[in-house]
Amino acid sequence: MKTSDFDFDLPERLIAQHPLLKRDESRLLIVDRKTHDLTHTTFKSILDELTSNDVLVVNNTKVMPARLIGQKEETDALIELLLLEQQNGLWDALVKPGRRVKVGTIVSFGNGILKAKCVFEKEEGIKSFEMIHEGIFYEVLDQLGQMPLPPYIHERLEEKDRYQTVYAKEIGSAAAPTAGLHFTKDLLLSIKAKNIPIIEVTLHVGLGTFRPTTVENLQDHHMHEEAYSIGEKEAEMLNDAIKMNKRIVAVGTTTVRTLESNFKDNQFHSGASRTSIFIYPGYQFKTIGALITNFHLPKSTLIMLVSAFSNRDLILKAYNEAVENEYRFFSFGDAMFIK
């Protein structure tokens, strides 16, 4: 299979530039994998699609204000860092413009409140930095950093929390798990009232999720590792769901990748790990029975994962119908429920 097999035409006007006033009033396209029926509704009606035989699994990662704009100490040249993750005391980041930052370069932010010293260069444009600061790093980052909105969003985000899910807890993501942006606290309470457990897992979104595919042959695409974890209680709840033959409804592709990576020897395991799983058509799913997801970029690993869960022709048919019906696309856009 090739990357071009997952291309589709999308008018630029349909790329959502801002979130809706009310999270759960976005549109929802329901895709039935058995009948191939497509149903148009609103997101709050997801409640009608869920039963007491379901468990809902969400990714509770929290987005860092990961975009930092500072100055190179030697020349005052403007440098932008997009923090990805911390490993062994150093921070991996994408740098713009990368050619201006070499090993030993120091970039200063907030008149020196924070300094980033480039320690070494990795593959694919990633560089590792030692962060020099006083106090708690995340407090400094909250003061100086900006929310890392995707490059196709050109409008200013008025409320930073709108790029967070209402259940975001564990800070560490460089992008939001956007399928979860549609849920409100009231909607979650209504789901619990139907005796549907809501299970939280964590995958910190990084390059593995949002970096585009640049090769035509899928087997040549390199997925970057992302950190994930599942708590002891949550692993037990998931294993109970498997034993009781309940339907696991995953909220977002990051949740899918967490569950599918973790499930080994016919059970879920608690603890922290890392995954570089790449799911595309031909993959045999082991855990999930339904998926809530946004509309993804053409030729992205995310539309490939969604196609693997359904099938490519049905997903492209659904995407084309969404375009015809003027759905809003990508991070702040509308949603799909694939059952």
Side-chain angles (χ1 to χ4, degrees):
M1 227 166 210
K2 300 192 178 298
T3 299
S4 55
D5 292 333
F6 300 90
D7 199 7
F8 63 93
D9 292 324
L10 180 69
E12 191 171 345
R13 71 178 186 281
L14 298 183
I15 301 174
Q17 293 297 312
H18 53 81
L20 292 181
L21 188 61
K22 295 185 178 179
R23 292 175 183 259
D24 60 359
E25 290 187 355
S26 55
R27 297 168 75 184
L28 180 69
L29 181 60
I30 300 172
V31 180
D32 191 314
R33 292 183 293 160
K34 291 180 182 176
T35 66
H36 289 198
D37 288 341
L38 303 177
T39 305
H40 301 274
T41 183
T42 55
F43 191 82
K44 61 179 65 174
S45 67
I46 194 70
L47 190 62
D48 301 326
E49 295 294 321
L50 302 175
T51 72
S52 57
N53 193 51
D54 292 329
V55 296
L56 190 73
V57 188
V58 302
N59 180 7
N60 68 3
T61 189
K62 189 172 185 179
V63 184
M64 305 177 289
R67 178 164 281 118
L68 288 163
I69 298 174
Q71 293 175 303
K72 183 176 175 180
E73 283 205 336
E74 299 93 327
T75 64
D76 288 339
L78 281 180
I79 303 292
E80 179 179 316
L81 264 58
L82 176 63
L83 301 185
L84 298 173
E85 66 171 329
Q86 186 181 33
Q87 291 193 76
N88 302 317
L90 300 176
W91 276 92
D92 287 348
L94 294 175
V95 183
K96 190 189 297 182
R99 67 183 184 280
R100 292 184 180 271
V101 176
K102 307 294 183 187
V103 172
T105 298
I106 295 176
V107 186
S108 178
F109 308 93
N111 294 319
I113 295 174
L114 173 67
K115 294 185 178 184
K117 181 179 180 180
C118 184
V119 177
F120 59 88
E121 301 184 30
K122 294 187 171 183
E123 296 177 348
E124 300 186 70
I126 300 171
K127 300 175 193 283
S128 290
F129 291 86
E130 174 192 355
M131 294 299 179
I132 304 163
H133 59 91
E134 292 184 1
I136 299 170
F137 176 73
Y138 282 116
E139 291 182 359
V140 175
L141 187 62
D142 195 52
Q143 178 184 349
L144 299 176
Q146 301 174 18
M147 292 303 277
L149 295 180
Y152 51 75
I153 294 177
H154 308 298
E155 294 186 11
R156 187 171 177 270
L157 182 63
E158 296 299 330
E159 300 175 53
K160 285 201 296 186
D161 285 349
R162 290 309 307 273
Y163 196 56
Q164 303 277 19
T165 62
V166 296
Y167 45 76
K169 291 179 184 174
E170 304 294 335
I171 193 160
S173 272
T178 55
L181 296 179
H182 305 281
F183 287 92
T184 64
K185 290 181 179 178
D186 286 344
L187 181 55
L188 292 171
L189 287 173
S190 297
I191 290 170
K192 289 179 181 177
K194 290 184 73 169
N195 293 317
I196 300 167
I198 299 174
I199 303 173
E200 297 183 7
V201 299
T202 305
L203 181 141
H204 292 314
V205 185
L207 274 183
T209 295
F210 66 75
R211 172 150 275 188
T213 46
T214 57
V215 293
E216 178 63 359
N217 190 333
L218 296 192
Q219 282 79 12
D220 294 335
H221 178 66
H222 172 231
M223 288 287 283
H224 288 265
E225 282 191 342
E226 294 168 309
Y228 77 85
S229 62
I230 297 179
E232 192 171 324
K233 175 186 171 186
E234 288 72 20
E236 186 178 328
M237 291 172 71
L238 286 164
N239 285 324
D240 286 345
I242 292 288
K243 289 173 189 172
M244 297 169 67
N245 202 30
K246 291 200 168 190
R247 181 176 68 163
I248 294 176
V249 181
V251 178
T253 57
T254 59
T255 300
V256 173
R257 295 177 69 239
T258 301
L259 297 177
E260 292 292 313
S261 298
N262 180 270
F263 192 74
K264 294 168 184 170
D265 302 320
N266 292 316
Q267 64 179 331
F268 292 99
H269 304 266
S270 62
S273 188
R274 298 176 67 80
T275 181
S276 58
I277 190 171
F278 179 21
I279 297 175
Y280 56 89
Y283 179 85
Q284 297 299 310
F285 285 84
K286 306 184 291 288
T287 65
I288 70 167
L291 170 62
I292 298 169
T293 186
N294 274 22
F295 291 90
H296 303 295
L297 274 72
K299 301 192 286 188
S300 65
T301 61
L302 306 182
I303 193 173
M304 294 171 193
L305 184 154
V306 171
S307 297
F309 185 61
S310 175
N311 70 63
R312 185 186 72 95
D313 291 343
L314 179 57
I315 291 302
L316 290 179
K317 174 186 172 186
Y319 270 56
N320 288 331
E321 184 153 327
V323 170
E324 289 173 10
N325 285 272
E326 301 271 315
Y327 273 63
R328 304 166 80 245
F329 275 69
F330 306 161
S331 294
F332 287 140
D334 296 315
M336 301 174 72
F337 179 55
I338 306 172
K339 63 180 183 177

